[in-house]
Amino acid sequence: MIKETLIWITLLIFNTINTISIILDKGALLNIPLWLSWLLFLGITFIIVLTLFFRKYLQKKNIQLMI
């Protein structure tokens, strides 16, 4: 889970810097459009949340099988 968190924080920092750069009329970083960077961030967030729910589901299922 540490890897996912680090990736998420890195994307959040990059998106924040990219947004501020565009607002200040300095252009996008690495020529990546703003909508694409935020879409990537939301996609990764969605995948991380799904992974967490799936892990909890498997843990519950495993506990019920042991009883």
Side-chain angles (χ1 to χ4, degrees):
M1 195 62 209
I2 298 295
K3 287 188 270 184
E4 292 92 351
T5 306
L6 289 175
I7 290 170
W8 189 82
I9 290 172
T10 303
L11 282 173
L12 179 64
I13 291 170
F14 172 75
N15 287 337
T16 305
I17 291 171
N18 199 20
T19 302
I20 291 171
S21 178
I22 288 177
I23 289 173
L24 296 176
D25 282 340
K26 294 186 179 183
L29 297 174
L30 303 174
N31 293 327
I32 297 173
L34 186 60
W35 65 270
L36 186 60
S37 62
W38 281 107
L39 187 66
L40 178 64
F41 174 73
L42 291 175
I44 296 295
T45 303
F46 186 69
I47 290 171
I48 290 172
V49 169
L50 283 179
T51 304
L52 286 174
F53 282 130
F54 186 66
R55 286 180 184 174
K56 284 187 179 186
Y57 169 75
L58 287 180
Q59 286 175 352
K60 269 188 180 178
K61 191 173 183 179
N62 192 15
I63 290 172
Q64 290 175 352
L65 290 175
M66 293 181 139
I67 295 176

